[in-house]
Amino acid sequence: MDKKECYFLGYIKKALGSSGEVIAFLDVTNPADYKGMEMCFLEMESGLVPFFIESVQMKHKGEVLIKFEDIDDHDTALRIKGKQLFLPMEVLPKLSGTKFYYHEVIDFEVFDSKKGNIGRIVKILEMPQNDLFSINNAQSQEILIPINDDIIKAVDRDKKHIHIEAPEGLIELYINP
């Protein structure tokens, strides 16, 4: 499996106990969605390697206790400490309405209710207070728009469009000298 076909799930924080269990941090909105996970990929020196899971137990604040098949002692578990976890893109639940995964909206055109087409999303900036769309307009100017339910009005996956209603004056901050 190629890393481009996967999404980052989290990482192994530490080995726990003598039977090969590990504590992993899942960097996802709802870790409980992954309670039934049967397999994931770990990024090893040779690339992504599938690891099969015997059990997953929810802990707190995104942490889970994972018991992998064939990792039966503390020393073996220590060898995967710090490794990143990945899952194939096709296992992501489909989102609808104005909900989306950040990776899926890269290259979407953004249309403001007043300004029309303001440009194409080139990346997502994850910030402590509010994540942002980084949009390049036709003049290669960067426009930053908060990713916010009050601003995003519609997502058209077929046309690769996002419709927004930007706060008064926000777009002008970026396009006026």
Side-chain angles (χ1 to χ4, degrees):
M1 174 86 28
D2 188 89
K3 196 171 173 180
K4 293 176 186 169
E5 301 170 65
C6 294
Y7 66 96
F8 175 75
L9 178 63
Y11 62 93
I12 306 293
K13 286 182 73 171
K14 62 183 175 182
L16 186 70
S18 60
S19 61
E21 294 165 322
V22 296
I23 296 288
F25 174 74
L26 301 186
D27 190 14
V28 295
T29 304
N30 190 5
D33 290 345
Y34 298 86
K35 190 175 182 180
M37 182 170 52
E38 297 176 356
M39 185 275 298
C40 66
F41 291 95
L42 269 65
E43 186 172 31
M44 308 299 278
E45 291 74 23
S46 60
L48 294 184
V49 176
F51 278 72
F52 293 91
I53 298 171
E54 286 181 15
S55 65
V56 177
Q57 293 178 23
M58 298 290 112
K59 292 297 182 188
H60 62 293
K61 296 182 182 176
E63 290 184 353
V64 294
L65 178 68
I66 300 178
K67 174 65 175 96
F68 288 106
E69 290 180 11
D70 301 323
I71 296 184
D72 297 318
D73 60 73
H74 187 76
D75 290 339
T76 307
L78 277 175
R79 290 188 207 130
I80 61 171
K81 179 183 173 200
K83 301 296 183 192
Q84 294 186 341
L85 305 168
F86 292 87
L87 283 175
M89 292 283 193
E90 65 259 12
V91 302
L92 276 173
K94 297 292 183 214
L95 299 179
S96 60
T98 59
K99 302 297 179 202
F100 52 85
Y101 296 108
Y102 286 178
H103 69 270
E104 81 175 300
V105 297
I106 301 300
D107 289 330
F108 274 39
E109 294 285 334
V110 179
F111 293 85
D112 179 65
S113 60
K114 293 186 175 102
K115 299 286 184 192
N117 186 336
I118 61 170
R120 182 177 304 276
I121 299 171
V122 292
K123 63 185 169 187
I124 304 293
L125 302 174
E126 295 186 50
M127 308 301 279
Q129 298 302 319
N130 205 113
D131 295 344
L132 304 168
F133 290 130
S134 173
I135 301 165
N136 277 358
N137 68 7
Q139 294 74 38
S140 296
Q141 296 168 306
E142 181 181 46
I143 300 169
L144 300 176
I145 301 291
I147 299 172
N148 180 299
D149 290 340
D150 293 333
I151 293 173
I152 299 168
K153 299 303 177 186
V155 177
D156 186 329
R157 288 168 174 78
D158 294 331
K159 292 181 180 177
K160 294 190 170 201
H161 292 171
I162 291 184
H163 298 271
I164 67 166
E165 194 170 302
E168 192 68 39
L170 179 62
I171 296 170
E172 291 80 2
L173 287 174
Y174 298 100
I175 58 174
N176 289 337

